[in-house]
Amino acid sequence: MLLKKGNKQTLGNYQERIAINKRLGENKTDTLIDQVHRAMHLYAGANRSPLLAHISAVADSPESAFWRVVTSLLELLPAGCNDHKQATGLLSNRDSLIRESKQAELSKVIQGTLSFE
């Protein structure tokens, strides 16, 4: 979470933390801030499928603690910084992300159960 720069420590943004650990926030057992930083990284990317899979795994309901962490970050981060923009985007699109992640998961299950005789 804290990154050392010279003799000072600063809070790492999601880009710095992902650069240090490429698998940050991928597991359900990872801390919520790690999962949120993973979602912010995926939200900034062009491929929506990994983001939807991540949301399905860690934030499948609007009442999830994941979304409370995103809300808290918005209160702490300076407006205009990249982390604030990504967190704002995630929270603004929360309902559609959850809905789309559930539809993607359902499609995956339906496709997995098809059988040809």
Side-chain angles (χ1 to χ4, degrees):
M1 212 52 206
L2 294 174
L3 303 176
K4 188 171 184 168
K5 295 180 182 178
N7 62 352
K8 295 182 180 179
Q9 289 186 338
T10 60
L11 274 174
N13 63 37
Y14 80 89
Q15 292 170 319
E16 294 169 325
R17 297 192 66 224
I18 292 285
I20 292 169
N21 179 1
K22 300 287 186 216
R23 300 186 57 82
L24 181 81
E26 287 183 352
N27 298 317
K28 283 186 175 185
T29 57
D30 288 346
T31 63
L32 282 170
I33 190 65
D34 291 349
Q35 293 172 356
V36 169
H37 276 170
R38 166 66 53 190
M40 291 165 71
H41 169 71
L42 294 170
Y43 185 78
N47 190 349
R48 198 162 174 89
S49 295
L51 173 62
L52 295 177
H54 185 66
I55 295 296
S56 178
V58 300
D60 63 347
S61 124
E63 294 82 27
S64 165
F66 174 95
W67 298 110
R68 289 193 296 275
V69 170
V70 175
T71 302
S72 297
L73 276 178
L74 286 175
E75 295 172 6
L76 299 172
L77 294 168
C81 75
N82 193 31
D83 280 37
H84 191 274
K85 290 176 187 175
Q86 301 310 319
T88 299
L90 279 171
L91 199 57
S92 299
N93 293 294
R94 175 184 60 192
D95 294 335
S96 65
L97 287 169
I98 292 170
R99 184 176 52 255
E100 287 178 48
S101 72
K102 288 180 180 182
Q103 289 172 346
E105 191 65 30
L106 185 60
S107 295
K108 192 185 329 179
V109 171
I110 290 172
Q111 289 177 2
T113 59
L114 290 177
S115 63
F116 298 97
E117 294 180 27

